[in-house]
Amino acid sequence: MTIKPLIILPDPVLRQVSKPIERVDADLQRLTDDMLETMYDAPGIGLAAIQVGVPRRMLVIDLSKEGEEKQPLVFINPEIVSSSDDRSVYEEGCLSIPDYYAEVERPAQVTVKYLDREGKEQSVVADGLLATCLQHEIDHLNGVLFIDHISRLKREMVIKKFTKASKSKAL
Ligand SMILES: [Zn+2]
């Protein structure tokens, strides 16, 4: 397994819309393993393929706590088929926007259809942190970041800060 470099704001790659996966094969399974390894190393609780520069509709999540047994979840071609009117607020962060956190309001419950690591059709009714995490990661597949859900003023400040940081690193 390989730890892959993360794509960081303001890299335009993060704004790409990822394409559906046509075949679940050994190459794809290797990519899911690399993504999990990269996520655990960061550490984070969710990672979309585009965050390691692969514009394909796939994401991994693990909500297990430190010291607990790992619970890796793989979602291929995930699709939200319904969302609740109830909403919940979580403080979100993102491996592509390091050390920035903000509260985001989203539907509290979502039903998601997807293929698992074996390519089998599955569906999950998610609530709590899993619901938020799935929506955050599926947003990535559509080129959307969690900062798109906060105020424009706050978003512009974050983008400015990261743009400045990326420029100074290039020198
Ligand atoms: Zn993210």
Side-chain angles (χ1 to χ4, degrees), residues 51 94 136 140:
Q51 291 179 277
C94 180
H136 175 121
H140 274 300

Side-chain angles (χ1 to χ4, degrees), residues 46-48 51 93-97 136-137 140 144-146:
L47 186 72
Q51 291 179 277
C94 180
L95 292 177
S96 296
I97 312 173
H136 175 121
E137 301 308 332
H140 274 300
V144 175
L145 300 171
F146 85 96

Side-chain angles (χ1 to χ4, degrees), residues 62-81:
D62 191 330
L63 301 180
S64 62
K65 298 204 172 65
E66 219 188 310
E68 282 180 9
E69 204 181 316
K70 286 187 168 50
Q71 290 161 14
L73 300 171
V74 175
F75 297 85
I76 297 165
N77 295 340
E79 202 185 315
I80 296 173
V81 289

